[in-house]
Amino acid sequence: MWNRLMRAIRSFLGAFVNNVEDPELILKQNMRDLSEQIPRMNEQVAKVRANVSLLEKEKERQLALIEKLTSKIKVGIQIGKEELSLQYAQQLQSTKAALAKGEAQLLVAREAYEKAMKVKKAFMLEKERKAQEVMAAMEGARLAKWQAEVADALESFSITGLDATHEEMVRKLNEQAAVNGARMAMAMESIDAPAARVDEEVEKMQAMELIKQMKLEMGMVEVSSVEEASPVLEKTLGKKVDIKS
């Protein structure tokens, strides 16, 4: 019974977390967390670098002191102050011991600084890589969201009947345009038919007149026959003019 209750609680909490979690917001928060670590990292690197600088300055001071003590020892020996030279020699030994210890510390500090810089560089590269991954993921999420919206819109066409209505209205407009075009063609034919018939008769009469003229020139018909046909052609031409006017 207890195990079943625990499974139920875990399943409820899991479902709650899944509903509450927004991957985009979580990724943005992760990037902010990484960015907040940069100042602390820079502070730690600066401390390591400052320690290196202090040890380098101390080494320079000790080298200068060793050179100074060596000169004093030599001067003390030259003037016969061996006791004073002995004191300087003891101080010189202490300084050399401190110098050796400082050089060891300086070596460790330099290695620590180099490691710190490598860690910082690796961190910045990793941060940049993660930032690019976040940007790519967010772009993909936006594209997926847009595709889902388009898919929903297309599905709504079929679901609500908009798609069928669209095709039906386009078909009706095309049919109406075809009917109006046919009516216009028929109207033009009905208007131009009488005039076309008159034009055809006139062309036919003109052709006949041309043939008669040629026959006359060839001596195949008499002049009187041609003159009788001319009034008929003139009447036909007159009718054509009246119709068009």
Side-chain angles (χ1 to χ4, degrees):
M1 184 66 180
W2 174 255
N3 292 334
R4 292 176 59 186
L5 178 61
M6 292 302 296
R7 283 197 301 269
I9 294 174
R10 286 198 302 270
S11 64
F12 173 77
L13 293 176
F16 175 77
V17 171
N18 289 334
N19 292 329
V20 172
E21 281 184 342
D22 187 337
E24 184 173 345
L25 294 178
I26 292 175
L27 288 175
K28 288 182 178 179
Q29 183 59 46
N30 289 343
M31 295 309 301
R32 284 195 292 269
D33 292 341
L34 289 176
S35 298
E36 290 175 356
Q37 294 181 27
I38 295 176
R40 292 195 294 269
M41 182 184 304
N42 290 335
E43 183 179 355
Q44 294 299 323
V45 173
K47 288 181 178 179
V48 175
R49 184 68 184 88
N51 187 35
V52 172
S53 298
L54 290 174
L55 290 173
E56 288 175 345
K57 290 180 178 180
E58 181 64 18
K59 179 181 178 180
E60 292 176 358
R61 188 188 69 81
Q62 288 173 348
L63 288 173
L65 180 58
I66 289 173
E67 183 178 358
K68 185 177 180 180
L69 289 173
T70 301
S71 298
K72 288 183 177 182
I73 292 172
K74 290 179 180 181
V75 171
I77 293 173
Q78 290 174 355
I79 63 176
K81 300 289 186 179
E82 293 185 2
E83 185 177 352
L84 183 60
S85 297
L86 180 61
Q87 293 178 358
Y88 287 143
Q90 292 174 346
Q91 188 176 353
L92 178 61
Q93 288 179 346
S94 300
T95 305
K96 287 182 177 181
L99 176 62
K101 184 178 179 180
E103 287 179 342
Q105 293 177 347
L106 179 59
L107 180 61
V108 173
R110 285 175 175 172
E111 291 178 353
Y113 177 70
E114 290 178 358
K115 290 181 180 179
M117 291 300 297
K118 290 180 180 179
V119 170
K120 179 182 177 181
K121 183 178 180 180
F123 177 84
M124 297 303 295
L125 290 175
E126 182 67 12
K127 177 180 177 295
E128 181 64 22
R129 186 184 67 81
K130 289 184 179 297
Q132 293 178 358
E133 288 181 350
V134 170
M135 292 300 296
M138 291 174 63
E139 289 296 330
R142 294 190 186 98
L143 177 60
K145 183 178 179 181
W146 175 79
Q147 290 175 336
E149 292 175 354
V150 173
D152 292 340
L154 293 176
E155 290 175 356
S156 66
F157 288 162
S158 300
I159 293 173
T160 60
L162 292 178
D163 196 11
T165 304
H166 173 79
E167 293 180 356
E168 182 181 357
M169 293 301 103
V170 171
R171 179 179 56 80
K172 286 185 177 182
L173 288 176
N174 291 334
E175 291 178 353
Q176 186 177 359
V179 171
N180 292 335
R183 289 179 60 193
M184 176 62 71
M186 293 175 61
M188 294 299 295
E189 289 176 359
S190 63
I191 293 174
D192 294 341
R197 286 194 295 270
V198 172
D199 291 339
E200 185 179 354
E201 290 294 331
V202 171
E203 291 176 358
K204 184 177 180 181
M205 294 295 293
Q206 289 176 343
M208 292 174 62
E209 180 65 19
L210 180 60
I211 291 173
K212 289 180 180 179
Q213 291 290 339
M214 289 184 178
K215 286 182 179 181
L216 178 61
E217 293 175 358
M218 296 170 64
M220 297 176 64
V221 295
E222 297 179 356
V223 178
S224 59
S225 298
V226 177
E227 292 176 350
E228 290 176 357
S230 296
V232 178
L233 179 60
E234 292 176 357
K235 290 181 180 180
T236 304
L237 290 172
K239 291 180 180 179
K240 178 183 177 184
V241 173
D242 291 340
I243 291 172
K244 287 186 175 181
S245 62

